């Protein structure tokens, strides 16, 4: 899917053959076995990966995913999207992604810590503040980033906070990083609704996924005055046309771990949620949930891709043909996370820390600039908004590779 998107974008900007494959394929990847002693004394060997897609424009950057369905191909695709994302928003990074095949909810806290530390131990020679800087993704969080930072720092013999981002504040994490992705999604939704002349206070929102990104998107959008009518997680969804009390839902999930049986509305399946009539639909979980099967049935006006790769290429073609749904493509929509990761890295490297207002103001300025660039590209070449975003991201990486030349 990521490769086909690349091919289409490369064709659209007539990317010269000589630079195409260099820009398209991942630079390198590492696959590791991760033995972990379980609480019952047995040992389980987990499989982990890190793919560095592009290292031409700075250290590579991207999250680490802990999920039972992780594959090397998926991690490579996610790394590729990180390259276009960081390039699109003008960060001095390449793209990378990591993953471990594990359902973290089945591990004890100690097992999770051992797995996280073991993963970083295996990556020590492959990552670093000027080589590759991991961060959280699906199934990982700031606590895990803290363990990884500690493992790396112990190895190099001094405190090295800039080796990962999305850390706890106490270890050099940035103000605003936890909510950054969701806050960025909500900000862009607000901006696009303004363009569409839809008052946000009249907007209804359905969000698939209630992890870090989905829940922060819900909080930020409800603060802007939008009505969140549906939310969901792996255990199913909740629908309430009068609006869901997000604070109550968050408290429920904090204790129950899942949305299942939350009494803030009627139950709804994840599939039905995607087809709800609403102003904004935000898939905020995994890839490929909008397919050729449900794309003809979507009833939203704005599709905000809070997740990476939620729309298949076939679905994309259907939505384009329909022409009645505005799209905020993933590489723009969820870029707030990596933007504040960049701020965190800068703060770590300079040992000078910013307050939350400064972080948010700078985040929104970068998102505004990227939005304007994408919409100008869309208009200039009559591209879809996804093609506009991808071509901008890809062109910048290709230009950098071209300027660096080929060694030897
Ligand atoms: N995992 C996030 C993403 O897909 C954040 C990456 C980062 O902060 O480096 O964009």
């Amino acid at each position: 899917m990521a490769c086909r998107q690349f091919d289409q974008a490369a064709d659209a900007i007539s990317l010269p053959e000589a630079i195409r494959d260099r820009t398209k394929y991942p630079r390198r990847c590492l696959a590791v076995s991760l033995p972990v002693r379980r609480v019952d004394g047995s040992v389980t060997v987990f499989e982990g990966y890190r793919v560095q897609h592009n290292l031409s424009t700075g250290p590579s950057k991207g999250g680490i995913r802990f999920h039972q369905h992780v594959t090397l191909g998926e991690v490579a695709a996610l790394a590729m999207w990180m390259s276009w994302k960081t390039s699109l928003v003008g960060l001095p990074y390449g793209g990378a992604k990591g993953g471990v095949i594990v359902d973290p909810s089945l591990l004890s806290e100690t097992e999770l810590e051992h797995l996280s530390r073991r993963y970083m131990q295996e990556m020590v020679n492959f990552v670093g503040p000027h080589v590759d800087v991991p961060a959280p993704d699906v199934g990982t969080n700031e606590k895990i980033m803290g363990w990884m930072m500690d493992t790396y720092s112990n190895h190099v013999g001094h405190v090295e906070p800039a080796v990962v981002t999305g850390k706890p504040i106490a270890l050099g994490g940035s103000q605003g990083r936890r909510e950054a992705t969701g806050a960025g999604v909500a900000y862009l939704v607000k901006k696009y609704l303004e363009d569409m002349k839809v008052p946000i206070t009249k907007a209804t929102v359905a969000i698939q996924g209630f992890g870090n990104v989905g829940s922060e998107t819900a909080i930020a959008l409800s603060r802007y005055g939008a009505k969140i009518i549906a939310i969901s997680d792996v255990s199913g969804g909740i629908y309430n046309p009068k609006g869901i009390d997000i604070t109550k839902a968050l408290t429920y999930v904090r204790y129950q771990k899942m949305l299942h049986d939350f009494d803030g509305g009627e139950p709804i399946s994840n599939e039905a949620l995607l087809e709800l009539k609403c102003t904004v639909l935000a898939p905020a979980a995994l890839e490929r949930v909008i397919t050729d099967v449900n794309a003809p049935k979507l009833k939203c006006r704005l599709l905000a891709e809070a997740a990476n790769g939620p729309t298949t290429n076939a679905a994309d073609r259907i939505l384009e043909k329909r022409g009645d749904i505005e799209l905020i493509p993933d590489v723009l929509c969820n870029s707030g996370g990596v933007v504040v990761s960049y701020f965190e890295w800068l703060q770590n490297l300079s040992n000078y820390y910013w307050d939350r207002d400064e972080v948010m103001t700078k985040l929104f300025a970068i998102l505004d600039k990227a939005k304007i660039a994408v919409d100008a590209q869309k208009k200039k070449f009559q591209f879809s908004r996804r093609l506009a975003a991808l071509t901008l991201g890809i062109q910048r990486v290709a230009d950098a590779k071209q300027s660096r030349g080929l060694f030897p």
Side-chain angles (χ1 to χ4, degrees):
M1 181 180 153
C3 284
R4 295 296 82 76
Q5 285 180 356
F6 175 87
D7 294 341
Q8 200 200 346
D11 285 344
I13 51 174
S14 308
L15 203 63
E17 268 325 306
I19 199 80
R20 260 189 206 222
D21 285 356
R22 270 175 82 192
T23 310
K24 178 176 177 180
Y25 292 111
R27 175 72 175 269
R28 54 189 187 184
C29 73
L30 184 63
V32 291
S33 295
L34 306 163
V36 172
R37 192 175 301 284
R38 312 299 296 266
V39 275
D40 65 3
S42 66
V43 173
T44 306
V45 180
F46 295 95
E47 197 171 326
Y49 310 107
R50 183 80 182 164
V51 177
Q52 295 168 356
H53 177 261
N54 158 37
L55 293 160
S56 301
T57 45
S60 53
K61 187 86 194 78
I64 299 170
R65 177 170 294 199
F66 282 3
H67 193 275
Q68 59 275 26
H69 295 146
V70 158
T71 64
L72 178 56
E74 179 195 29
V75 176
L78 291 161
M80 197 169 180
W81 286 324
M82 284 309 300
S83 286
W84 317 145
K85 192 189 307 188
T86 51
S87 166
L88 170 66
V89 292
L91 306 181
Y93 288 138
K97 204 73 159 203
V100 177
I101 309 171
V102 61
D103 180 348
S105 70
L106 302 180
L107 298 188
S108 71
E109 174 96 350
T110 313
E111 291 167 341
L112 189 64
E113 177 173 355
H114 288 173
L115 177 64
S116 307
R117 288 186 180 277
R118 189 69 192 218
Y119 179 89
M120 180 45 99
Q121 181 63 43
E122 292 297 332
M123 294 291 146
V124 160
N125 294 315
F126 204 59
V127 299
H130 300 287
V131 181
D132 179 17
V133 185
D137 194 77
V138 175
T140 55
N141 54 28
E142 52 183 55
K143 192 187 263 181
I144 291 176
M145 294 307 116
W147 291 326
M148 290 190 175
M149 173 269 192
D150 180 68
T151 306
Y152 186 88
S153 297
N154 280 327
H155 183 86
V156 295
H158 58 91
V159 180
E160 192 54 276
V163 68
V164 291
T165 58
K167 300 177 294 293
I169 304 269
L171 296 181
S174 178
Q175 296 291 338
R177 174 61 185 89
R178 192 190 303 169
E179 57 269 43
T181 313
V185 172
Y187 181 78
L188 287 166
V189 163
K190 179 166 83 89
K191 288 281 161 181
Y192 275 104
L193 288 178
E194 276 167 26
D195 292 352
M196 293 157 67
K197 311 255 180 300
V198 176
I200 195 153
T201 48
K202 296 239 155 54
T204 54
V205 183
I207 301 175
Q208 188 202 41
F210 206 60
N212 172 274
V213 177
S215 61
E216 292 295 344
T217 301
I219 294 170
L221 280 173
S222 50
R223 279 200 192 126
Y224 286 138
K227 196 199 286 178
I228 317 298
I229 58 165
I231 52 176
S232 70
D233 63 15
V234 278
S235 69
I238 303 292
Y239 169 62
N240 186 344
K242 293 203 191 84
I244 295 167
D245 184 337
I246 295 300
T247 319
K248 238 174 97 184
L250 276 168
T251 313
Y252 183 86
V253 168
R254 192 164 306 133
Y255 293 104
Q256 303 295 327
K257 304 284 174 231
M258 301 267 173
L259 270 174
H260 186 68
D261 276 347
F262 172 59
D263 65 1
E266 303 154 30
I268 185 171
S269 70
N270 263 292
E271 296 73 37
L273 177 144
L274 296 172
E275 293 170 23
L276 274 178
K277 185 171 164 48
C278 56
T279 321
V280 183
L281 174 64
L286 296 172
E287 304 91 71
R288 294 185 298 197
V289 294
I290 314 273
T291 64
D292 50 344
V293 177
N294 60 12
K297 301 185 213 152
L298 298 194
K299 294 178 205 67
C300 59
R301 294 188 58 192
L302 178 63
L303 177 59
E305 293 187 330
N308 291 309
T311 310
T312 67
N313 299 348
D316 239 351
R317 285 192 293 274
I318 295 171
L319 295 179
E320 247 178 84
K321 203 173 276 170
R322 280 183 56 166
D324 58 345
I325 296 177
E326 292 292 332
L327 171 79
I328 316 180
D330 51 2
V331 288
L332 172 65
C333 192
N334 66 38
S335 63
V338 71
V339 170
V340 179
S341 273
Y342 166 58
F343 297 160
E344 181 172 327
W345 180 77
L346 286 181
Q347 293 170 75
N348 294 154
L349 291 177
S350 61
N351 257 311
Y352 177 75
Y353 287 83
W354 315 348
D355 63 26
R356 194 176 180 284
D357 280 353
E358 188 171 357
V359 168
M360 288 302 168
T361 309
K362 289 197 159 92
L363 165 65
F364 296 150
I366 287 186
L367 293 180
D368 278 333
K369 202 170 145 202
K371 173 181 181 287
I372 290 168
V374 167
D375 289 336
Q377 176 91 339
K378 176 179 186 291
K379 197 165 166 205
K380 185 169 170 197
F381 296 104
Q382 300 291 307
F383 286 166
S384 70
R385 197 170 285 113
R386 182 183 319 283
L387 192 58
L390 288 175
T391 49
L392 281 175
I394 289 168
Q395 185 77 63
R396 286 180 193 160
V397 176
D399 287 349
K401 284 189 184 285
Q402 194 92 282
S403 308
R404 285 187 61 161
L406 198 55
F407 175 84

